[in-house]
Amino acid sequence: MHDSTILRYIAPNGEPLTALPVWCTQTDWLITAYQQMQFARLLDQKAIALQRTGQLGTYASILGAEAIDVAVGLCMEPFDILAPYYRNHACQMVRGLPASEILRYWGGDEHGSAAPEMHRDFPNCIPIASQTLHACGAAFALRYRQQSQIAVAMLGDGATSKGDFAEALNVAGVWKLPVVFVINSNQWAISVPRHQQSAASRLSDKGLAAAVPGIQVDGNDIIALRIALDTAFTAARNGEGPFLLEALSYRLSDHTTADDASRYCPADELKQAWQHEPVARLRKLLLHLNLWDEQQEQQLMAELQTQLEQQVAAYLAIQPAPVTDMFDHLYATLPDQLRSQRDWAEVNQMTIDQQQGDEPR
Ligand SMILES: Cc1ncc(C[n+]2csc(CCOP(=O)(O)OP(=O)(O)O)c2C)c(N)n1
Ligand SMILES: [Mg+2]
């Protein structure tokens, strides 16, 4: 993390490493980013608590990646197209998706992936790296229709090993598509560490063979992220083609609530990573720049807590979907063998609900 070719503006202790862009002090962009990052962290803690008490399904924490998501969300235009993977709730919230819908999705209800606030964004992609190809398709359509928007695909470091990603880079390069790929390079793919994932020292170099320019950015540094994203998004919007951004971070959580990272993640490495985490770093910078004080901090946290409680209440008030929904929304015309299963499920709905009892919603 101390390579001088990595774009970085803020030291881990919050001090600027170089002259900062004027927008840092002359706009409230940094404070907006800080509020969004803090909200993402609060939601994260709450989601895990809900899961642990049987009120949410398996959940993928965003701890440590707040700056990446918030920067992408704030730098995108509303009608650009986001192709997210399963760890992008903070980005989705910045783009207008209510936290209640995010909880709804992780509660097992796919309607949370189809909220009107998502505009043209794709639902969360679970099959690793396939969203990078979806983004290329969307980018092609945007250009074909002569629309000025861009597509943004988010992915993990592990996802860069997939064939889909190589194919996406290739087609994006050949067709000079208005698409930007953002890697959350969090050093883990479940229990596979980064050094076993790829022998490439920089995943941002993976675009070289496809003529897709790339850059490594400190993913815990919101200023570096904005500068890199602004450059990439502007180029894509101006017809200069795709870009690959590798944001270096560290997954400070388990992979999901179904995982126990203490079984494979070295404790000293995790402890070290906490020294670099993005939320505290931005708070220290804001204090250093005299843009923030303790009273504002307390007021913000109280306001965000209230907002979160409202969102959680809205989620908990959503009626669980009937078990027949999984058949009704899968096919236009249900195949015969599934029709009999659907009929059985409908008759036995009560029994199924009782059996599920305290199961996650
Ligand atoms: C095509 C496919 N293969 C395997 C999986 C199982 N799987 C789920 S998450 C994951 C690791 C992904 O790691 P990374 O891309 O680094 O993202 P991170 O979870 O670290 O953010 C794998 C292999 C999957 N979802 N899809
Ligand atoms: Mg990863």
Side-chain angles (χ1 to χ4, degrees):
M1 290 285 273
H2 297 291
D3 181 339
S4 61
T5 59
I6 298 168
L7 193 65
R8 179 179 291 126
Y9 281 76
I10 322 170
N13 68 2
E15 287 184 15
L17 291 165
T18 178
L20 298 181
V22 288
W23 52 259
C24 288
T25 47
Q26 291 181 7
T27 72
D28 55 10
W29 194 90
L30 284 181
I31 292 178
T32 303
Y34 182 64
Q35 292 167 339
Q36 297 282 1
M37 285 161 65
Q38 281 288 22
F39 189 69
R41 192 159 281 190
L42 279 186
L43 175 70
D44 209 64
Q45 287 163 1
K46 187 67 188 177
I48 292 168
L50 287 167
Q51 191 277 338
R52 297 290 189 239
T53 51
Q55 299 175 88
L56 198 77
T58 299
Y59 169 77
S61 166
I62 197 178
L63 196 64
E66 296 89 347
I68 301 170
D69 258 44
V70 167
V72 171
L74 289 175
C75 290
M76 285 178 75
E77 296 290 336
F79 286 94
D80 290 339
I81 298 176
L82 177 70
Y85 73 117
Y86 46 78
R87 213 183 287 285
N88 294 131
H89 350 302
C91 186
Q92 291 172 317
M93 286 195 288
V94 174
R95 286 183 61 66
L97 188 61
S100 57
E101 293 296 316
I102 287 165
L103 294 171
R104 183 181 201 176
Y105 168 80
W106 291 100
D109 183 342
E110 290 285 341
H111 289 99
S113 252
E117 293 87 349
M118 288 170 71
H119 300 298
R120 299 194 291 186
D121 289 354
F122 283 82
N124 293 350
C125 204
I126 305 293
I128 301 295
S130 51
Q131 75 279 12
T132 58
L133 284 165
H134 304 159
C136 289
F140 181 88
L142 287 167
R143 215 203 16 221
Y144 185 75
R145 293 175 186 166
Q146 300 187 335
Q147 294 174 339
S148 64
Q149 289 86 15
I150 61 168
V152 179
M154 314 261 307
L155 63 151
D157 41 357
T160 67
S161 301
K162 293 289 293 178
D164 288 22
F165 179 57
E167 291 159 26
L169 286 171
N170 195 61
V171 76
V174 174
W175 289 345
K176 274 194 136 196
L177 295 177
V179 61
V180 174
F181 305 98
V182 181
I183 307 168
N184 168 9
S185 208
N186 66 9
Q187 314 307 313
W188 294 98
I190 313 186
S191 56
V192 177
R194 169 64 181 80
H195 67 91
Q196 280 178 29
Q197 189 61 243
S198 168
S201 57
R202 301 160 63 91
L203 299 177
S204 55
D205 288 346
K206 288 207 171 194
L208 275 177
V212 177
I215 187 176
Q216 267 189 332
V217 184
D218 185 336
N220 293 321
D221 179 335
I222 192 90
I223 298 177
L225 284 162
R226 173 170 167 180
I227 287 172
L229 289 164
D230 277 350
T231 308
F233 289 179
T234 304
R237 230 179 271 291
N238 291 341
E240 291 167 38
F243 200 90
L244 173 59
L245 197 147
E246 181 187 6
L248 295 161
S249 67
Y250 197 93
R251 199 193 72 206
L252 297 168
S253 62
D254 296 330
H255 170 69
T256 64
T257 49
D259 174 46
D260 175 5
S262 69
R263 294 172 64 185
Y264 56 81
C265 176
D268 52 342
E269 189 178 301
L270 181 63
K271 194 174 167 202
Q272 176 67 16
W274 270 103
Q275 306 301 312
H276 296 264
E277 67 96 354
V279 178
R281 189 184 299 197
L282 179 52
R283 181 172 54 245
K284 288 177 201 161
L285 175 77
L286 291 172
L287 293 169
H288 180 86
L289 297 175
N290 285 326
L291 294 172
W292 200 242
D293 60 32
E294 191 48 43
Q295 197 193 337
Q296 284 168 301
E297 176 77 13
Q298 281 179 18
Q299 195 181 334
L300 172 69
M301 295 315 282
E303 282 168 16
L304 294 182
Q305 193 61 48
T306 307
Q307 279 175 33
L308 179 66
E309 278 160 21
Q310 286 164 354
Q311 292 294 317
V312 171
Y315 158 64
L316 292 173
I318 296 169
Q319 284 301 311
V323 74
T324 43
D325 263 19
M326 67 177 155
F327 300 98
D328 294 345
H329 300 291
L330 195 57
Y331 291 91
T333 311
L334 205 58
D336 285 345
Q337 70 274 24
L338 288 183
R339 170 148 300 284
S340 56
Q341 289 184 25
R342 187 197 180 283
D343 292 344
W344 182 90
E346 192 167 33
V347 172
N348 291 285
Q349 169 90 53
M350 291 276 282
T351 324
I352 292 167
D353 284 349
Q354 276 160 11
Q355 277 168 1
Q356 282 178 341
D358 293 334
E359 285 292 302
R361 299 155 52 94

